[in-house]
Amino acid sequence: MAKTKTIYFCQNCGYESAKWLGKCPSCAMWNTFVEELAKRPSASDKNDWRSTSGGGKRASAPKKIEEIAHEKEQRINSKNGELNRVLGGGIVPGSVVLIAGEPGIGKSTLMLQIALSVNHKVLYVSGEESEQQIKMRADRMSQLHAAECYILAETSTQEIFQQVEKLNPDLLIVDSVQTLYSSNIESAAGSVSQVKQCTAELIKYAKETATPVFLVGHITKEGAIAGPKVLEHMVDTVLQFEGDRHLTYRILRTTKNRFGSTSELGIYEMMGNGLREVSNPSEILISQKDSELSGVTIGATVEGNRPLLIEIQSLVSTAAYGTPQRSSTGYDARRLNMLLAVLEKRCGFRLGLQDVFLNMAGGIKVEDPAIDLAVCSAVISSLEEISVSDKACFAAEVGLGGELRAVNRLDSRIAESEKLGFKEIYVSKFGMKGIEPGNYKIAIKPFARLTDVFGDLFG
Ligand code: TYD
Ligand code: MG
């Protein structure tokens, strides 16, 4: 017989405690502890996937690393270029990937799209939608053709494994992990112990059969459902699907990857008929306009491993009501204040009585300091009402002394600007090591100080 025991779990981070606590000592959230009945499995318990089929325990002995046989890993092509890149070149057999995101961001849409496009036998298990609803969604994505996609509306892991054994799919998708229920544990679906247990069972299945598993997990702020945070250390790869629900762009970001780099990024656009891959993101981030406007500049940033050109818009106007306002969208407000102070103190611009608004086009958040120079130029362009040529772009960090500092990966920023038809790029003089201006068609303009750049731009 299994022993039953009551444990309290923080529903936000999974912290375990023997008694109820008001505030979680681990994640500092209030009121997140919930009593859960954890059944400690005893030796006789059938706890695993396929444990019924017996099979003696394989004793494992330590092996020398050279002696471990290693086949060249065969990745499965998901037929989705952005996802392949984010995963590090395709789906690794036996890997468990968690796709986390807020409700309504498009996780189910992405997963169904993968299920429909991949050239393998896929089982899509949904605990949230009925088969009819999934079929309706699939019909909207008419451009895809499913070779072998099976749908199962089920929440019990034991039932799922029974079907899996019959069907033997090449890829298993579970939407979402919070709806799963394992009868090995008595807690409610969505509680920390259930989510952990179900994930552990799925991981075991993935490792033993080398079948890749995709898990969808919701993030909730209130901790009503166990957050996928609990699972991050269990799975091989964590992909964060983010974006603004009101804007159509979605970003798929790796936060953990045992089989690739975590600096990759995938960009999608939510269309009426599913998610469209955006393979040239710079195009969507630079608005088409017929005349040059003051206050608009282009910054060459790098997101992950990808160079991106982003339009920065600034509006500077005299503050009408006393204290000037400073507001920024997609850019750190404190950094904007710092740059304004540099412009005032080091370059002599009078910004103290001006409202300053800053906006990154396309609803994108930028943290790369290399766009500092583009931000400063946009602000001064708006202040002075002089437009900056739309054939110019910028890539340099601005220091507190008003000096331009070198940025990483300057070569790829220059190459991307050239590819998109820019004629000149303003960079820091100190970052020119290894850059041969003769190799590029784009004119590279190295400067040491902000004031020199403004002298060149605005005369
Ligand atoms: P969904 O994949 O259900 O989100 P999640 O699984 O992350 O909760 O998608 C949510 C939104 O996407 C929904 O509000 C409608 C929109 N959508 C489209 O705009 N186009 C489409 O083709 C589909 C299927 C959904
Ligand atoms: Mg969903």
Side-chain angles (χ1 to χ4, degrees), residues 103-104 106-109 124 128-129 137 175-176 216 218:
K107 301 178 296 296
S108 307
T109 310
Y124 181 103
E128 304 198 332
E129 285 160 291
R137 195 194 282 256
D175 183 6
S176 67
V216 170
H218 293 293

Side-chain angles (χ1 to χ4, degrees), residues 7-9 17-23 30-35:
I7 312 178
Y8 294 85
F9 281 104
S17 163
K19 59 181 195 326
W20 189 85
L21 299 172
K23 184 182 177 186
W30 288 92
N31 255 336
T32 53
F33 277 85
V34 169
E35 176 182 2

Side-chain angles (χ1 to χ4, degrees), residues 317-333:
S317 71
T318 311
Y321 313 100
T323 322
Q325 292 185 56
R326 270 80 212 272
S327 138
S328 67
T329 315
Y331 188 70
D332 183 23

Side-chain angles (χ1 to χ4, degrees), residues 179-253:
T179 56
L180 288 188
Y181 178 84
S182 165
S183 54
N184 289 324
I185 259 194
E186 277 168 32
S187 314
S191 64
V192 173
S193 18
Q194 266 305 351
V195 166
K196 272 182 163 169
Q197 169 70 21
C198 297
T199 309
E201 288 175 17
L202 285 165
I203 289 174
K204 191 154 195 295
Y205 158 72
K207 301 297 167 202
E208 283 181 7
T209 60
T211 311
V213 176
F214 279 90
L215 291 175
V216 170
H218 293 293
I219 294 176
T220 51
K221 292 186 189 81
E222 285 307 307
I225 313 172
K229 275 246 159 297
V230 185
L231 308 177
E232 277 178 7
H233 69 277
M234 301 173 75
V235 300
D236 296 310
T237 302
V238 180
L239 302 180
Q240 201 85 31
F241 205 32
E242 46 185 52
D244 192 316
R245 244 199 288 181
H246 304 289
L247 295 169
T248 54
Y249 300 112
R250 302 281 184 273
I251 291 178
L252 192 63
R253 213 185 270 285

